[in-house]
Amino acid sequence: MTDPTDPTDLTASAGAAVAGPDGRLRCPWALSAEDYVAYHDEEWGRPVHGDDALYERLSLEAFQSGLSWITILRRRPGFRAAFAGFRIEKVAAFNDEDRERLLADPGIIRNRAKVDATMANAKVLADWAPGELDELIWSFAPDPGAYPVPGSTTDVPAVTAESTALSKTLKKRGLRFVGPTTAYALMQACGLVDDHLAACSSRRAR
């Protein structure tokens, strides 16, 4: 069952913007858990650049697959500690001992396939030129007016032509756990698209 509070699958919690205790209108999922408020207001949908930063977001979106985003968000400090701050060069140097350490770490999601993919992706990306991941991902950002501004969460897609194309390209380049839905969640979270609702204060503020 899809988690109705998961911002990477907003179609599950249909509704218009909702006023919080401070009177600000927000996307409804932002008020479903206290941890979401700052993430919604300060991070989600704002442009993210830098190879390491995008590798982190891509890795966390992959770990989120099949889970609620709040589960990942609350464990993000643990993930950062376990994966050396998601610095590509450092994770690329992880060995079998690190793999076993990660699989025993209660501060992260101990999914063998996802741990392996995160390590393998770092090894692939370590061979890319500086800035290449950033440039590739952002090359799939649609024109700002390509899609209608969502009025409610039912208007927000889970997959787009751009996310499908991004997914195919990343897979072709050797990355794993980068399906079209994960790719679109990355695009939402990193500001390639702005899926804050029309009445959401975070959309108007930028």
Side-chain angles (χ1 to χ4, degrees):
M1 179 178 179
T2 304
D3 187 325
T5 66
D6 182 1
T8 63
D9 187 4
L10 300 182
T11 58
S13 54
V18 178
D22 57 1
R24 288 183 60 186
L25 288 172
R26 293 181 173 87
C27 301
W29 59 265
L31 300 175
S32 62
E34 185 177 350
D35 306 69
Y36 275 152
V37 177
Y39 177 69
H40 170 274
D41 292 357
E42 301 168 12
E43 295 187 62
W44 194 75
R46 296 182 183 274
V48 174
H49 286 283
D51 293 342
D52 289 344
L54 288 167
Y55 167 64
E56 174 183 355
R57 295 299 187 96
L58 188 62
S59 299
L60 292 179
E61 294 294 350
F63 272 102
Q64 183 274 328
S65 180
L67 302 170
S68 65
W69 179 248
I70 196 69
T71 300
I72 305 302
L73 188 61
R74 287 171 175 167
R75 286 173 170 77
R76 187 164 60 171
F79 274 108
R80 287 173 170 169
F83 284 97
F86 287 99
R87 295 188 292 279
I88 293 170
E89 292 290 341
K90 287 188 174 294
V91 180
F94 280 11
N95 54 28
D96 289 342
E97 184 177 329
D98 290 299
R99 181 173 181 269
E100 295 308 311
R101 168 181 60 81
L102 292 166
L103 292 173
D105 190 339
I108 66 170
I109 303 300
R110 292 173 287 182
N111 179 292
R112 188 176 300 273
K114 294 176 182 179
V115 166
D116 287 347
T118 302
M119 292 174 58
N121 287 347
K123 294 183 187 300
V124 170
L125 294 172
D127 289 333
W128 292 20
E132 189 172 355
L133 178 62
D134 189 312
E135 182 178 359
L136 186 150
I137 288 176
W138 275 91
S139 72
F140 288 90
D143 292 334
Y147 295 96
V149 176
S152 72
T153 52
T154 56
D155 300 327
V156 179
V159 176
T160 62
E162 291 84 0
S163 76
T164 299
L166 173 58
S167 170
K168 288 181 178 179
T169 300
L170 292 173
K171 287 179 180 179
K172 187 175 181 180
R173 296 290 301 271
L175 300 187
R176 294 155 54 180
F177 265 93
V178 287
T181 302
T182 295
Y184 192 65
L186 175 76
M187 294 172 74
Q188 291 175 305
C190 295
L192 280 75
V193 295
D194 184 355
D195 276 345
H196 284 285
L197 303 185
C200 176
S201 58
S202 288
R203 186 180 191 96
R204 293 198 306 267
R206 290 178 294 132

